[in-house]
Amino acid sequence: MDIKDTAWPLDGTGVSEFLRSLPAKPLLLGLGEARHFVGELGELRNEIFRHLVEHEGYRSFAIESDCLMGLVVDDYITTGADTLDDVMERGFSHGFGASPANRELVRWMRAYNEEHDEKLRFFGFDGPLEYWAESPRQALTALYALLDGPLPCTMETLDALLGPDDRWTNEATVMDPSQSIGQSADAQRLRLLADDLVALLDTQAPRLSAKGRERAALYGRTAVGLLRYHSWMADTSPARIMRLSALRDAMMAANLRAVAEHGPALVFAHNLHLQRDKSFMRLGDLPVEWWSAGAITEAHLGDRYAFLASAFGTVGDNTPPPDTVEGILSTLPWDHSLIDARRLAEAVRKPAPRISHDFAYFPLDPAQLDRIDGVVFLKQAVRLG
């Protein structure tokens, strides 16, 4: 099989043909990043999303960013609340608000909504965390405010148990579990109260609007997830980092299942979060592996979840060897290509793994091609953040 027979030029026609090749129309189409902050990939993502909206009925976009901060962006694109500058500053985590491609995406989604009755939606689907984590205050108090009495505690009790936010957000806890309050008496009581509040939400769902139920469910799972995460921040066992990584991706997957209820949606995040298999990294001498958000999502959605990995040929000044997957794909005639990964796995014979000199770039694993639906390939990635 000619390698060209496995691919399309990355344009609207290629995207639609790729979707038609899948066994089912996905509720969630994951587009992975092999490396964060690659300008060209963000621009291509925007083009893909516009095509999906205008020709394939997509109405939602989700990104690897704080799920609570994402509400600021969603309010802006649906109502015009605040200014674009303010939204880019307050609506993204991980520095993604500084991305020109993200700014253009938000601007375009707002312009689209001004002209159409059927509105686009924006979602952050990461938890309010990295390896440190935010205070559960925002999620718990927002959930509390949406519920009706009798409630298991007063707001004053909740506020006293939460205490100052900086005792939750202490970044030193990443390396020193003894500085975490996640297993303190206050934190343990908050976990019980969060469970009670989430249970109350189910009993009071009929009195809430659809938007109220959606927001309350988000606040509930975020509060519970954060309190679990903080508890493991205080753990001293060898399983600590693995469990923290797994909890983060589990929170992502829960948010993605909620996004799927508004589907179909385009999801944008690192390949490691969206892949169908376990994720792996090494922290010093410690190997860490956990089930990715994509693997968890597929367990729930089956073939209604599809995954497009991204990959780059030349990354900065590093050119792929010709016997690697990226080296083989670099022979395609297009600068930007969309590849059927399973057909590619049949067409290439035992490609070598690529060793990247850019620590932030994660090359394609040739052994995992049959677990990917497609590959978005950039022959050259030159604008790296």
Side-chain angles (χ1 to χ4, degrees):
M1 182 187 299
D2 189 321
I3 189 70
K4 191 175 177 182
D5 295 333
T6 71
W8 302 272
L10 186 53
D11 55 20
T13 300
V15 171
S16 290
E17 289 187 8
F18 167 75
L19 289 176
R20 303 293 179 268
S21 74
L22 297 174
K25 182 176 182 179
L27 281 171
L28 297 178
L29 175 61
L31 172 56
E33 295 179 276
R35 188 191 197 280
H36 285 317
F37 301 109
V38 175
E40 295 98 326
L41 182 59
E43 292 164 6
L44 286 170
R45 174 209 65 190
N46 290 354
E47 293 176 16
I48 291 170
F49 183 62
R50 285 193 292 267
H51 177 82
L52 293 172
V53 168
E54 293 168 353
H55 300 281
E56 300 294 341
Y58 280 57
R59 291 294 177 268
S60 298
F61 177 85
I63 189 171
E64 182 191 336
S65 182
D66 184 325
C67 56
L68 299 184
M69 296 178 80
L71 298 175
V72 174
V73 185
D74 190 54
D75 284 342
Y76 173 76
I77 69 164
T78 54
T79 70
D82 296 317
T83 66
L84 180 57
D85 285 344
D86 187 53
V87 166
M88 298 310 297
E89 182 177 346
R90 297 192 301 112
F92 290 86
S93 60
H94 308 323
F96 295 149
S99 161
N102 286 343
R103 184 183 184 90
E104 174 55 25
L105 176 72
V106 173
R107 186 207 63 76
W108 181 83
M109 292 178 73
R110 174 58 193 152
Y112 181 96
N113 281 349
E114 288 181 316
E115 298 177 359
H116 296 82
D117 293 331
E118 191 175 4
K119 305 303 184 187
L120 303 180
R121 296 291 306 277
F122 181 98
F123 299 93
F125 72 92
D126 200 355
L129 48 85
E130 185 69 59
Y131 280 104
W132 57 274
E134 292 286 356
S135 165
R137 175 183 299 280
Q138 179 184 358
L140 272 175
T141 57
L143 173 60
Y144 187 100
L146 287 171
L147 297 172
D148 199 8
L151 297 174
C153 69
T154 65
M155 183 65 84
E156 289 75 19
T157 297
L158 206 58
D159 185 66
L161 290 170
L162 286 163
D165 285 348
D166 58 7
R167 67 176 187 159
W168 296 93
T169 58
N170 178 8
E171 294 188 25
T173 58
V174 175
M175 302 303 296
D176 184 0
S178 69
Q179 296 200 42
S180 172
I181 65 164
Q183 294 183 10
S184 66
D186 285 352
Q188 291 177 22
R189 188 174 176 198
L190 284 169
R191 291 186 74 179
L192 292 174
L193 289 173
D195 182 71
D196 283 342
L197 292 173
V198 170
L200 275 176
L201 171 59
D202 288 336
T203 70
Q204 297 184 16
R207 58 171 285 275
L208 295 171
S209 66
K211 182 177 180 179
R213 289 193 297 273
E214 179 184 319
R215 292 281 173 101
L218 171 62
Y219 294 139
R221 63 179 177 267
T222 303
V224 170
L226 278 173
L227 286 163
R228 285 192 193 118
Y229 194 90
H230 277 289
S231 179
W232 275 93
M233 290 284 284
D235 187 76
T236 58
S237 76
R240 177 177 182 260
I241 296 299
M242 180 185 70
R243 187 57 65 91
L244 291 173
S245 300
L247 285 174
R248 181 186 179 194
D249 273 58
M251 290 177 70
M252 287 183 172
N255 286 330
L256 286 178
R257 292 197 295 277
V259 171
E261 295 178 7
H262 304 274
L266 180 66
V267 180
F268 189 67
H270 201 283
N271 284 343
L272 292 181
H273 292 303
L274 296 183
Q275 65 188 17
R276 286 189 168 94
D277 295 285
K278 281 187 173 180
S279 295
F280 175 86
M281 66 180 180
R282 184 174 292 278
L283 295 177
D285 295 331
L286 178 67
V288 182
E289 63 178 11
W290 68 97
W291 286 109
S292 68
I296 299 169
T297 299
E298 184 187 41
H300 290 270
L301 297 183
D303 59 13
R304 303 303 303 276
Y305 174 69
F307 172 46
L308 280 166
S310 69
F312 311 140
T314 299
V315 181
D317 59 358
N318 178 237
T319 300
D323 59 346
T324 62
V325 177
E326 288 97 330
I328 294 167
L329 293 179
S330 293
T331 66
L332 289 168
W334 312 293
D335 289 336
H336 305 142
S337 308
L338 178 55
I339 297 96
D340 183 322
R342 291 186 173 89
R343 294 179 68 200
L344 177 66
E346 297 173 0
V348 297
R349 294 289 178 239
K350 296 183 178 178
R354 181 181 185 180
I355 306 300
S356 175
H357 301 297
D358 177 358
F359 75 94
Y361 176 68
F362 288 72
L364 283 175
D365 181 352
Q368 297 297 326
L369 285 180
D370 61 350
R371 297 286 290 147
I372 299 170
D373 292 298
V375 178
V376 169
F377 183 70
L378 283 66
K379 189 172 290 188
Q380 187 172 32
V382 293
R383 288 189 285 122
L384 305 179

